[in-house]
Amino acid sequence: MTKPRFVAALAATLSLCSPAAQAADFTVTSKAFASGTVQPPQFADIMGCTGENLSPDIQWSNAPEGTRSFVVTIYDKDAPTGSGWWHWVVVDLPADATSLATGAGSGKAALPAGARMTPTDMGTSGFLGACPPQGPEHDYTITVKALGIDKLPVPDNATPAMVGFVSTMNALATATLSAKGRR
């Protein structure tokens, strides 16, 4: 294949790639997760844990063109449930949002206007800090999805699985950050 044909074929192939595949620069950071370890304030204050139950600070950058809203979740894939544990679900974050402060949505810091929290695996809306059983470390993952829609079409009582499904179907890009936590 000649070089011009190769370049044309490559351009045609790339044009078929999803926007998510082209949004490699979309990133998420958190001072609370920077060391790779969940910090004490982000642990729960129930079920035998003695943390402050504060959501971590979360910042994201380089969202792809066409982003109209964001979804932020925190998930523990190692929870002994057979399906992990959703610690926080925030939807309808506006396109101009680039961060959530420590304690966002808890009264210590506000969510951006229009954002809402849907239930976690605890069955209530709001952040629930880490509280793994004694034993091996758990992996806690912050995920930020850039969406091509203004509002996620889910009810206020949507399960984390429903939010995950609908947000994935509307995602332009996804950025993740993980930290380990144990008692």
Side-chain angles (χ1 to χ4, degrees), residues 8-30:
L10 179 61
T13 301
L14 289 175
S15 72
L16 298 175
C17 290
S18 71
Q22 298 175 23
D25 294 331
F26 185 45
T27 58
V28 60
T29 59
S30 171

Side-chain angles (χ1 to χ4, degrees), residues 26-118:
F26 185 45
T27 58
V28 60
T29 59
S30 171
K31 293 174 191 156
F33 276 37
S35 70
T37 302
V38 176
Q39 300 303 301
Q42 280 69 56
F43 274 79
D45 58 0
I46 60 172
M47 299 183 294
C49 286
T50 58
E52 296 177 42
N53 204 47
L54 289 175
S55 61
D57 65 294
I58 302 171
Q59 302 80 39
W60 54 93
S61 59
N62 300 318
E65 187 175 326
T67 297
R68 294 170 56 189
S69 66
F70 297 96
V71 168
V72 173
T73 61
I74 299 181
Y75 176 71
D76 171 6
K77 70 177 182 66
D78 300 314
T81 64
S83 61
W85 189 271
W86 294 94
H87 286 265
W88 203 24
V89 183
V90 184
V91 302
D92 299 342
L93 289 152
D96 62 353
T98 58
S99 65
L100 292 170
T102 300
S106 70
K108 295 196 180 264
L111 291 173
R116 59 191 171 113
M117 296 183 288
T118 60

Side-chain angles (χ1 to χ4, degrees), residues 79-180:
T81 64
S83 61
W85 189 271
W86 294 94
H87 286 265
W88 203 24
V89 183
V90 184
V91 302
D92 299 342
L93 289 152
D96 62 353
T98 58
S99 65
L100 292 170
T102 300
S106 70
K108 295 196 180 264
L111 291 173
R116 59 191 171 113
M117 296 183 288
T118 60
T120 66
D121 280 338
M122 195 69 156
T124 59
S125 299
F127 177 76
L128 176 66
C131 192
Q134 295 290 339
E137 287 183 318
H138 284 217
D139 186 58
Y140 296 89
T141 301
I142 297 170
T143 300
V144 181
K145 292 180 186 175
L147 307 181
I149 57 175
D150 293 322
K151 300 282 184 192
L152 201 65
V154 298
D156 289 343
N157 65 348
T159 65
M162 177 59 76
V163 169
F165 177 79
V166 176
S167 63
T168 296
M169 294 299 100
N170 290 283
L172 301 175
T174 300
T176 61
L177 176 66
S178 294
K180 301 287 188 182

